[in-house]
Amino acid sequence: VLALNGKIREVGEKILASNGKEVDFASALESCEEAGGTLATPMNEEENKAILGIVKQYNRYAYLGIKEGETSGQFKCINGTPLNYTKWHQYEPNGKGTEKCVEMYTDGSWNDKKCNLYRLTICEF
């Protein structure tokens, strides 16, 4: 398995990578897309753990490729597909339309958050 100092991880069909930068959601998404990927979006426990590995390595919360849809409290992948796997922290999501982005905590659980905060960029390819 290719691992550049643990900066690149393979999980299933995906490759995960982080540039170690903390930016807002739009900038994180843009840098992933410029690199030919998108924001890391865990589709199962295995992928969530792989993303968590990078989160723990930098000890920084990271944005995930998940956003709140038109309906308050209903989240989906940024490519529009429904979320079939979730790992919300207890009592989350609780933003009720005000927190449209999703971050991963250093324990692997998720929290809905405003999109203008600076979080770690983790991309998937």
Side-chain angles (χ1 to χ4, degrees), residues 10-14 16 40-52 64 66 77 82-87 104 108 110 124:
E10 274 186 63
V11 55
E13 299 292 298
K14 290 182 184 178
L16 301 171
T41 311
M43 295 296 188
N44 53 48
E45 185 67 27
E46 189 190 9
E47 291 182 9
N48 204 73
K49 282 196 176 111
I51 296 167
L52 175 60
L64 298 175
I66 299 166
C77 304
L83 275 184
N84 297 322
Y85 166 84
T86 58
K87 191 154 183 127
M104 180 183 284
W110 305 355
E124 67 177 39

Side-chain angles (χ1 to χ4, degrees), residues 10 19 21 25-26 28 32-33 35-36 39 51 58-59 61-62 64 73 77 80-81 83 87 100 102 113 115 119:
E10 274 186 63
N19 58 8
K21 293 195 174 125
F25 180 86
C32 288
E33 287 177 344
L39 271 173
I51 296 167
Y58 288 98
N59 198 26
Y61 295 173
L64 298 175
C77 304
T81 58
L83 275 184
K87 191 154 183 127
K100 297 208 167 281
V102 178
K113 205 71 185 167
C115 302
R119 294 291 180 264

Side-chain angles (χ1 to χ4, degrees), residues 12 60 96:
R60 295 279 179 274
K96 299 184 180 57

Side-chain angles (χ1 to χ4, degrees), residues 87-103:
K87 191 154 183 127
W88 294 109
H89 197 74
Q90 194 174 10
Y91 309 123
E92 301 292 347
N94 63 6
K96 299 184 180 57
T98 61
E99 300 179 326
K100 297 208 167 281
C101 289
V102 178
E103 64 182 359

